[in-house]
């Protein structure tokens, strides 16, 4: 095969920008979004991308889709849908990282087969965040397996990823240029690639189960929406430690017939923060609330304390928060500090007399009185000016407390509030988007924006909340890298790289040629859009297959699948999406993604050769 393209000055400039980009990503000289914006500006200054097209990435289908799906995810999260999903996963998967990784990654991977992988990832990020906060598993241990499996799940169907959607069109275009008398190449049906996708998804989950302990980093990331004070702060300052548990009162329990106040006075009693009798569960149970057989108590204490109390009083400890999971979620409730100011009508009243639980929905756990921490017999303490009440409540109730002149709330109140009354609206507009994606020819961005707009118009999320739900770092990263792919295609650099690499193939065995094509597609997908890489490489792969009497459809499929092998750098949309929330660095992706890429290539080539 003779070379048809020669290296030009523009190609050399694009190659130089490409090397600089990769170097900055790998060595983390600057933040990745700053690197991306710098590259975009540099391409414009060098004239490698016309100024009129330089910022087209911000209006691209991919970027608008990312924005829309983040708003959809925020709507589902705000109405409590994702909390229910998280509860189900915790119920089925328990609290161990291995089982949760298997369950979450498998579900997201399967969903990615029928919707864009970045959409599936964005929708499940709130779920994973809730699971991480309840199990105290670092978010960085869960997000990367989920993201990688979402990428691999895109290979389950012919609509799971953009390259596979594009593949049939490219094959039909190749048919028009076949020699006279040659048999037309067949296109793929929806589930023709399912065996490959299932094998890849299973291998990805197995990879993290076996090696995740050593490959996945442990990064402590702040919880969005949590109050300014952290759990460690209240533990260190007030000695308020432990976790929340559920106790089921059995028929043999001596607490049957007691009030909540009586139960709190029992030896070794944990703090009682919630109750469910026959009605819906609620926080801050009044001290005169009666306890009956079947009552579920939400309590706070150490595992040993709660276990011993349950043993002494014939109660059952639930292994998961089945009843109070939503109420105890950090986005809805938590511990705060409330100060009694001068002139407050509560001065001189005891905590019990003030009926703070019944009137305001707050449970006082401790009192900080001029440096003295009071944790015993709190209900009997008379409140004094300057007392700092360490309280547990929902953020909504705390907002109401903040408006009272008798209190000064010293904790930042999260602005997010749950809107369970809007759950039907959220599900309708989410279903609308999914239906448009599956059954209409509208572009992905339009389908997703229709659902996102519906959620805003029905006040599932306000417009300000919609803006706040978007990860603008991800938007700028993806949008700013799109011109690099345009420059590689416009100047012929991508075609030249492909041509020079393929010239080296010569008369290699068929398997060696497949490996080279897969590696080439992998490299291209790391530095440019996978759609661009597929468009360039599929025609070349078909030509090589015809010249070597191989199966051109199989070679084209290898290219379309290999462009999803994008784990080593955070340039893929999914990787860019999880990078910030997971606290990942480029080195984290290189460490975990390199082995994942090797596994991907081995499994993909093996299954494709067995099938085709």
């Amino acid at each position: 095969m003779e070379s048809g393209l020669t290296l030009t000055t523009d190609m050399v400039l694009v190659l130089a920008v490409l090397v600089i980009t990769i170097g900055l990503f790998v060595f983390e000289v600057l933040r990745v979004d700053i690197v991306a914006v710098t590259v975009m500006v540099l391409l414009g200054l060098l004239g490698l991308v016309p100024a009129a097209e330089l910022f087209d990435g911000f209006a691209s289908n991919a970027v608008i889709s990312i924005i829309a799906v983040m708003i959809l995810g925020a709507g589902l999260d705000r109405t409590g849908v994702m909390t229910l999903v998280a509860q189900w996963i915790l119920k089925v998967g328990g609290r161990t990282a291995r089982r949760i990784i298997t369950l979450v990654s498998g579900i997201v991977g399967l969903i990615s087969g029928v919707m864009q992988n970045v959409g599936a990832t964005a929708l499940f990020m709130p779920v994973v965040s809730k699971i991480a906060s309840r199990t105290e598993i670092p978010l960085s241990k869960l997000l990367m397996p989920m993201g990688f499996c979402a990428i691999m799940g895109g290979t389950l169907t012919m609509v799971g990823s953009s390259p596979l959607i594009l593949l049939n069109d490219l094959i039909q275009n190749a048919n028009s240029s076949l020699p006279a008398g040659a048999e037309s190449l067949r296109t793929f049906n929806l589930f023709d690639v399912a065996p490959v996708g299932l094998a890849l998804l299973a291998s990805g989950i197995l990879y993290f189960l076996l090696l995740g302990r050593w490959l996945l980093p442990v990064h402590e990331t702040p919880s969005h929406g949590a109050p300014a004070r952290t759990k460690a702060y209240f533990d260190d300052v007030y000695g308020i430690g432990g976790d929340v548990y559920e106790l089921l009162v059995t028929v043999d329990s001596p607490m049957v017939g007691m009030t909540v106040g009586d139960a709190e006075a029992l030896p070794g009693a944990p703090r009682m923060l919630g109750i469910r009798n026959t009605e819906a569960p609620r926080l801050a149970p009044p001290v005169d609330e009666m306890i009956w057989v079947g009552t579920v108590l939400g309590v706070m204490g150490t595992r040993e304390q709660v276990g011993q109390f349950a043993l002494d009083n014939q109660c059952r400890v639930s292994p998961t928060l089945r009843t109070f999971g939503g109420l105890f979620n950090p986005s809805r409730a938590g511990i705060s500090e409330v100060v009694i100011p001068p002139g407050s009508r509560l001065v001189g009243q005891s905590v019990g007399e003030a009926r703070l639980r019944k009137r305001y929905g707050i449970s006082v756990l401790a009192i900080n009185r001029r440096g003295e921490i009071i944790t015993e017999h709190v209900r009997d303490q008379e409140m004094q000016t300057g007392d700092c009440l360490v309280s547990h409540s929902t953020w909504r109730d705390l907002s109401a407390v903040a408006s009272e002149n008798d209190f000064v709330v010293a904790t930042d109140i999260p602005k997010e509030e749950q809107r369970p009354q809007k759950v039907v609206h959220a599900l309708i507009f989410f279903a609308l988007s999914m239906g448009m994606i599956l059954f209409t020819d509208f572009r992905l961005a339009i389908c997703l924006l229709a659902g996102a707009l519906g959620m805003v118009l029905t006040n599932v999320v306000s417009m300000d909340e919609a803006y706040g739900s978007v990860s603008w770092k991800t938007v700028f990263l993806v949008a700013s890298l799109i011109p690099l792919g345009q420059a590689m295609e416009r100047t012929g650099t991508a075609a030249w790289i492909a041509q020079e690499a393929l010239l080296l193939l010569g008369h290699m065995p068929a398997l060696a040629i497949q490996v080279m094509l897969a590696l080439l597609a992998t490299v291209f997908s790391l530095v440019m859009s996978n759609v661009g890489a597929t468009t360039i490489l599929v025609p070349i792969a078909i030509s090589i297959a015809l010249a070597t009497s191989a199966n051109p459809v199989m070679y084209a499929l290898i290219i379309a699948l290999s462009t999803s092998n994008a784990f080593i750098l955070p340039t893929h949309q999914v990787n860019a999406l999880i990078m910030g929330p997971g606290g990942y660095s480029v080195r984290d992706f290189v460490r975990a993604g390199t082995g994942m890429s090797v596994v991907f290539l081995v499994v993909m080539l093996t299954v494709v050769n067995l099938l085709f």
Side-chain angles (χ1 to χ4, degrees):
M1 187 182 298
E2 293 185 359
S3 177
L5 289 174
T6 56
L7 202 59
T8 65
T9 302
D10 282 350
M11 290 182 186
V12 172
L13 289 174
V14 171
L15 288 172
V17 173
L18 185 61
V19 171
I20 292 171
T21 303
I22 294 174
L24 290 174
F25 275 149
V26 171
F27 295 106
E28 302 180 57
V29 179
L30 298 170
R31 274 177 40 162
V32 288
D33 49 339
I34 297 177
V35 171
V37 174
T38 302
V39 168
M40 178 181 65
V41 173
L42 186 59
L43 291 171
L45 292 175
L46 294 174
L48 298 173
V49 176
E53 301 175 15
L54 190 62
F55 307 107
D56 286 356
F58 289 93
S60 68
N61 185 60
V63 170
I64 299 300
S65 297
I66 288 174
I67 293 173
V69 83
M70 288 177 179
I71 296 173
L72 282 172
L76 291 175
D77 187 37
R78 192 59 54 83
T79 55
V81 173
M82 289 311 187
T83 299
L84 295 177
V85 175
Q87 288 175 351
W88 179 82
I89 290 174
L90 283 172
K91 181 178 179 180
V92 176
R95 304 174 74 88
T96 62
R98 291 172 64 86
R99 294 182 64 181
I100 290 174
I101 286 174
T102 302
L103 198 57
V104 172
S105 300
I107 292 173
V108 174
L110 292 174
I111 291 175
S112 292
V114 294
M115 68 179 292
Q116 293 288 305
N117 43 40
V118 67
T121 304
L123 285 176
F124 267 78
M125 280 179 60
V127 173
V128 177
S129 179
K130 294 181 196 317
I131 291 171
S133 67
R134 293 188 198 176
T135 60
E136 296 188 359
I137 299 171
L139 192 58
S140 57
K141 289 282 187 182
L142 302 177
L143 275 185
M144 189 175 287
M146 181 191 74
F148 282 13
C149 287
I151 295 173
M152 288 182 285
T155 63
L156 283 167
T157 70
M158 294 301 293
V159 298
S161 66
S162 298
L164 289 174
I165 293 172
L166 182 65
L167 182 59
N168 281 337
D169 290 338
L170 295 174
I171 291 175
Q172 289 173 348
N173 291 339
N175 282 332
S176 64
S177 59
L178 289 175
E183 184 179 351
S184 294
L185 307 178
R186 76 172 185 88
T187 54
F188 292 91
N189 294 321
L190 182 63
F191 294 106
D192 281 352
V193 293
V196 185
L198 288 171
L200 288 171
L201 182 57
S203 65
I205 294 173
L206 190 61
Y207 174 79
F208 283 110
L209 291 181
L210 295 177
L211 303 176
R213 181 183 305 176
W214 299 281
L215 295 177
L216 294 172
V218 178
H219 296 315
E220 296 298 331
T221 51
S223 174
H224 297 291
R229 304 297 192 187
T230 65
K231 181 178 177 181
Y233 170 85
F234 289 102
D235 193 2
D236 294 342
V237 176
Y238 300 108
I240 299 175
D243 287 297
V244 289
Y245 299 90
E246 291 181 4
L247 295 180
L248 174 65
V249 180
T250 67
V251 67
D252 298 320
S253 174
M255 290 196 296
V256 175
M258 287 187 181
T259 65
V260 170
D262 293 335
E264 286 181 317
L266 291 173
R271 295 175 174 87
M272 298 190 181
L273 306 181
I275 192 170
R276 193 201 71 184
N277 284 328
T278 56
E279 302 176 356
R282 60 193 186 280
L283 297 184
V287 293
D288 56 358
E289 180 90 13
M290 298 300 295
I291 298 174
W292 305 112
V293 175
T295 295
V296 180
L297 297 171
V299 303
M300 180 179 181
T302 63
R303 180 184 296 273
E304 295 76 14
Q305 179 190 14
V306 173
Q308 187 60 51
F309 181 80
L311 188 64
D312 294 341
N313 294 278
Q314 300 294 309
C315 297
R316 278 208 306 269
V317 182
S318 174
T320 59
L321 293 177
R322 297 174 182 174
T323 302
F324 295 98
L327 286 175
F328 282 138
N329 188 284
S331 67
R332 296 189 65 180
I335 300 176
S336 58
E337 293 171 304
V338 179
V339 178
I340 304 299
S344 171
R345 292 173 297 176
L346 300 177
V347 173
Q349 295 185 44
S350 71
V351 172
E353 290 171 345
R355 296 183 298 159
L356 298 182
R357 289 183 180 180
K358 197 165 191 173
R359 293 169 61 189
Y360 303 105
I362 61 174
S363 298
V364 180
L365 309 179
I367 299 176
N368 182 352
R369 179 170 294 158
R370 293 180 291 279
E372 179 190 357
I373 309 301
I374 302 171
T375 58
E376 300 292 333
H377 306 293
V378 173
R379 285 176 50 210
D380 300 326
Q381 294 291 325
E382 286 191 1
M383 289 177 278
Q384 302 178 11
T385 299
D387 278 356
C388 178
L389 311 182
V390 184
S391 312
H392 183 275
S393 64
T394 65
W395 303 130
R396 180 177 294 181
D397 287 337
L398 190 63
S399 296
V401 167
S403 64
E404 296 281 338
N405 293 329
D406 293 322
F407 304 96
V408 174
V409 176
T411 299
D412 292 335
I413 304 174
K415 294 182 173 57
E416 295 187 3
E417 63 176 84
Q418 296 288 302
R419 299 189 182 109
Q421 72 276 13
K422 295 289 185 179
V423 66
V424 174
H425 299 82
L427 291 175
I428 287 174
F429 287 110
F430 176 70
L432 172 67
S433 287
M434 294 303 102
M436 291 177 66
I437 291 170
L438 294 175
F439 304 115
T440 72
D441 294 327
F442 289 112
R443 296 185 74 189
L444 179 67
I446 295 176
C447 299
L448 293 172
L449 272 179
L453 181 61
M455 288 192 180
V456 171
L457 292 176
T458 55
N459 202 35
V460 174
V461 291
S462 69
M463 200 63 211
D464 288 337
E465 290 167 343
Y467 287 138
S469 69
V470 177
S471 171
W472 296 105
K473 176 181 178 180
T474 301
V475 169
F476 274 82
L477 174 62
V478 175
S480 300
L481 283 178
I482 287 176
L484 179 58
Q486 293 175 338
M488 292 188 69
E489 294 179 43
R490 181 182 296 274
T491 61
T493 306
W496 179 83
I497 293 173
Q499 167 192 276
E500 295 302 312
L502 295 173
L503 281 173
L504 300 175
L505 294 178
H507 300 288
M508 291 182 179
L511 183 58
I513 294 176
Q514 294 172 22
V515 172
M516 290 295 291
L517 288 172
L519 287 173
L520 194 61
T522 298
V523 172
F524 269 45
S525 67
L526 292 175
V527 295
M528 63 185 298
S529 75
N530 48 16
V531 171
T534 305
T535 304
I536 292 169
L537 294 178
V538 164
I540 298 172
I542 290 175
S543 298
I544 289 179
L546 292 172
T548 57
S549 301
N551 182 350
V553 173
M554 182 177 77
Y555 277 39
L557 180 60
I558 288 173
I559 294 295
L561 291 171
S562 297
T563 52
S564 292
N565 188 15
F567 308 107
I568 299 176
L569 293 176
T571 48
H572 191 282
Q573 296 167 7
V574 170
N575 293 341
L577 188 64
I578 65 175
M579 187 175 186
Y584 299 119
S585 66
V586 175
R587 290 189 182 91
D588 293 331
F589 282 101
V590 173
R591 183 171 59 251
T594 301
M596 187 75 262
S597 294
V598 174
V599 171
F600 185 101
L601 290 175
V602 171
V603 173
M604 182 270 294
L605 289 174
T606 300
V607 180
V608 166
N609 276 279
L610 289 175
L611 290 177
F612 300 95

